[in-house]
Amino acid sequence: MAASFQTVVRAVVRISPSISYSLRQLKRTSIGICPAIRPLALPSHSLCQAVTLQDEAATKETEALSRYKDRPWDYMESEEYIERYGAHPVWAGYRRNHKGGIPPQKTRKTCIRGDKICGNPCPICRDPHVIIHHQNVKLLQQFISPHTGVVYDPTRTGVCMKQQKKLVEAVNTAQDHGFLSFQIPYVDFAGEDYSNGHDAVGVTPPAPSLTSADDWYKWYGEIAPDEKEVAQVRKTYKAYLKPGT
Ligand SMILES: [Zn+2]
């Protein structure tokens, strides 16, 4: 491909020096901008620019993502956040699109499949800065009822099932690590020592002695084996049985 390009350039140089100059310029700029598509210098110049523009957009996006990626809780106090949500939780005012008057019993499985984002992504999927993390306490608190401490149902918040699962996991982790407070049933501790109170860990009672000829279990004597089976067993183990038994 490069060789054919060189021959084309040479042919054009022969035809006119002015065109050749512009061609050289084009070639140089294209090489400077986009080395990946070097052999296709002339026709791909505009394409190359488009590619670089796309790259810039992508890098901007990744920069925006990485801005709060390491510290997602910083976003919850940023001006950007206050401007967008004010004092409301992230899910306030979100309405799911659904057919008919009755909303579905479950939210959608996920909003982002690969690089495809659905038309009406859930409150967490629609904002790339809202990142679920067990240290992102302010975000987690928005999804927990202040009265009962229960995580809101996804049908209330509109969060998709994938993010809801992450959310519940993050809430549990946060509670384990002490970032979130939660209530446990009150137990009045009287200071008694229960360590040996239970029979399982207490002093072992002495074994009941078998003085009489009684069976260990009373129902042992009531069991009468089938004579046929006994005869068969006796026959099988005849060689091993003591004489007289
Ligand atoms: Zn979602």
Side-chain angles (χ1 to χ4, degrees):
M1 197 63 200
S4 66
F5 175 73
Q6 290 292 339
T7 51
V8 167
V9 168
R10 266 178 222 149
V12 174
V13 165
R14 266 178 230 146
I15 294 160
S16 131
S18 63
I19 294 174
S20 76
Y21 175 73
S22 60
L23 251 179
R24 259 182 232 151
Q25 285 289 45
L26 267 179
K27 192 183 168 191
R28 201 172 293 155
T29 49
S30 67
I31 285 166
I33 293 169
C34 174
I37 321 175
R38 202 175 299 162
L40 299 166
L42 183 59
S44 70
H45 184 61
S46 55
L47 191 144
C48 210
Q49 269 191 339
V51 166
T52 48
L53 277 175
Q54 269 187 359
D55 281 348
E56 274 172 24
T59 48
K60 265 187 185 176
E61 225 171 71
T62 48
E63 270 173 24
L65 273 178
S66 61
R67 193 146 43 101
Y68 296 108
K69 202 182 173 187
D70 299 328
R71 298 174 63 83
W73 45 91
D74 282 353
Y75 176 60
M76 306 305 290
E77 286 162 0
S78 64
E79 284 180 23
E80 208 179 337
Y81 175 84
I82 294 162
E83 199 180 311
R84 184 163 177 177
Y85 298 102
H88 303 291
V90 283
W91 50 268
Y94 174 78
R95 190 189 178 282
R96 290 191 290 151
N97 292 338
H98 58 81
K99 213 166 153 185
I102 303 161
Q105 298 289 300
K106 269 185 175 182
T107 52
R108 73 171 73 82
K109 265 193 171 179
T110 177
C111 306
I112 302 166
R113 285 189 173 85
D115 53 350
K116 278 186 182 175
I117 305 173
C118 71
N120 183 24
C122 73
I124 291 174
C125 292
R126 71 181 170 187
D127 193 342
H129 299 320
V130 172
I131 299 163
I132 296 172
H133 191 273
H134 68 269
Q135 289 184 40
N136 199 354
V137 179
K138 283 202 171 178
L139 177 70
L140 299 181
Q141 275 172 344
Q142 294 181 356
F143 291 89
I144 297 171
S145 167
H147 307 292
T148 59
V150 173
V151 179
Y152 286 138
D153 199 75
T155 47
R156 175 171 180 171
T157 55
V159 174
C160 63
M161 303 308 287
K162 191 179 173 183
Q163 298 290 353
Q164 180 73 14
K165 201 177 163 188
K166 274 190 191 175
L167 193 78
V168 172
E169 277 172 12
V171 166
N172 287 334
T173 318
Q175 287 175 349
D176 285 348
H177 290 214
F179 294 112
L180 270 180
S181 61
F182 62 99
Q183 291 191 336
I184 47 168
Y186 177 71
V187 178
D188 187 20
F189 183 64
E192 288 174 48
D193 184 17
Y194 293 105
S195 58
N196 288 324
H198 196 269
D199 283 343
V201 291
V203 182
T204 312
S209 54
L210 286 174
T211 47
S212 62
D214 291 342
D215 289 316
W216 190 286
Y217 299 107
K218 282 178 184 171
W219 47 265
Y220 243 63
E222 295 166 13
I223 295 176
D226 192 17
E227 281 183 20
K228 274 186 185 174
E229 280 180 27
V230 171
Q232 203 173 3
V233 171
R234 272 180 196 282
K235 197 182 169 188
T236 312
Y237 297 100
K238 202 178 176 182
Y240 304 100
L241 283 174
K242 285 178 191 171
T245 51

